[in-house]
Amino acid sequence: MLDDFMVRAALAGIGVAFAAAPLGCFVVWRRMAYFGDATAHAAILGVALSLAFSMSIFVGTMTVALLMALVVSVLSGRGYAMDTLLGVLAHSALAFGLVAVSLISGVRIDLMAYLFGDILAVSRGDLAVIWGGAALVVALIGWRWSALLTSTLNEDLAYASGINPKREQLVLTIALAITVAVAIKVVGVLLIAAMLIIPAAAARPLSRTPEGMAVAAGLIGMLSAIIGLRAAFVLDTPAGPSIVCVAAITFLATSVLRGFRHQR
C-alpha cells in the first residue's frame, strides 16, 4: 500500500496535522504566531547546516529552531519590541540559510521543495520521522496539558499553583521545534506557520472547551491535507499550498458560521 506515492503523501499530511493541532491551539491562545513563523524561517539555515555537515535534515532543522527560541528568550525585553525582534531574526535566518545553501559545493538542492514543501516525494523513511515526531509532540503536550493551560490562562495563577510558566514555555518551544523539523518536507518553511495557525483558528468557533478545540483543529488539518492533495492532483496545482488553501477556506466557513450565531 505504501508503494503508492499519494498514500504516502496523505499519511504525511495527516501526521503533520496530528502534531500541529494541539500545538497550534497554544500558538493561537498565546498569540505566538510571529514566534512560530520565525522558527519556521530559521529551518532553512538548519537545512544548510545539515548539508554542510552531512547530518540528518531533521536534526539540523530542530537544532536551529531551538537555538532561535533561545536567542529570542535572551534578547527579549532588552529594548526591542517582540514583533520587531522576531521579524529581524526570522528574515535574517532565512537569508543566511539561502546564502549558505548556495555556497555549499558539490550539493544540488531544490530550494522550492524546502520553501513550499514536496509532499509527493515523501518516502517511507520520511513517514517514520514525521509520525515519530508527531507522536512525540502529542505526548509532550498531553503530558503538560493542564500546566500549559494554566500558565496560558494566567501566569500569576500558574505560580500560585506551583507551576513555572517559563518551563511550560520551554515545553512549547521544544514541541514547536520538533513540528517544524517534521513539517518542512510536507508543506515547506513558508507554509508551516499556516498549518499551525489556520486549523486552530478555524476550530475556535466550533469548540466549547480547549480539548474540543484541539480535536477539531486536528480533524480540520487532516481533512485539509486529504482534500488539498486531491485538489492538487485534479487541478495540477502545488500540493503544499493547496492544503493550506483548503484550510483557509475552512477558516472562512467557520468564521461566517460564527457571524450567523452572533446575529441570533
Side-chain angles (χ1 to χ4, degrees):
M1 184 181 71
L2 292 182
D3 289 335
D4 188 342
F5 73 96
M6 285 297 289
V7 173
R8 292 196 301 270
L11 289 174
I14 292 171
V16 169
F18 186 61
L23 181 59
C25 291
F26 283 103
V27 169
V28 169
W29 293 331
R30 288 173 171 249
R31 300 180 181 179
M32 291 172 59
Y34 277 119
F35 186 78
D37 205 33
T39 307
H41 278 63
I44 281 291
L45 183 56
V47 171
L49 292 176
S50 299
L51 295 173
F53 294 101
S54 301
M55 61 182 181
S56 166
I57 298 293
F58 176 80
V59 173
T61 52
M62 189 169 69
T63 300
V64 172
L66 288 172
L67 286 175
M68 168 67 79
L70 179 62
V71 170
V72 170
S73 298
V74 171
L75 294 181
S76 61
R78 298 196 176 187
Y80 295 101
M82 181 58 73
D83 59 344
T84 301
L85 180 62
L86 288 173
V88 170
L89 291 175
H91 296 295
S92 298
L94 178 60
F96 277 111
L98 293 173
V99 170
V101 167
S102 69
L103 293 176
I104 299 174
S105 60
V107 175
R108 298 189 65 180
I109 178 175
D110 182 6
L111 281 176
M112 293 296 288
Y114 286 104
L115 290 175
F116 296 101
D118 192 9
I119 191 172
L120 298 180
V122 168
S123 66
R124 293 188 179 194
D126 293 327
L127 277 179
V129 171
I130 290 169
W131 276 95
L136 184 58
V137 168
V138 171
L140 191 61
I141 297 296
W143 172 49
R144 304 301 304 169
W145 181 263
S146 179
L148 284 168
L149 277 179
T150 303
S151 59
T152 298
L153 180 65
N154 189 296
E155 287 195 0
D156 292 332
L157 177 62
Y159 280 119
S161 303
I163 299 169
N164 184 351
K166 292 191 178 298
R167 182 183 60 198
E168 305 312 317
Q169 176 73 29
L170 178 61
V171 170
L172 283 178
T173 299
I174 293 172
L176 183 60
I178 296 171
T179 302
V180 168
V182 301
I184 189 171
K185 182 83 173 182
V186 177
V187 291
V189 167
L190 300 181
L191 301 178
I192 290 173
M195 284 304 292
L196 279 169
I197 298 166
I198 297 177
R204 199 167 195 170
L206 307 176
S207 311
R208 295 181 180 273
T209 65
E211 293 80 6
M213 180 172 165
V215 171
L219 292 175
I220 290 171
M222 293 175 190
L223 287 174
S224 297
I226 295 171
I227 297 172
L229 279 171
R230 179 61 181 171
F233 182 77
V234 173
L235 302 175
D236 193 23
T237 54
S242 298
I243 292 172
V244 176
C245 285
V246 173
I249 292 171
T250 306
F251 169 72
L252 178 62
T254 59
S255 298
V256 171
L257 178 62
R258 179 172 61 180
F260 282 134
R261 285 179 176 176
H262 286 330
Q263 289 178 356
R264 291 181 179 179

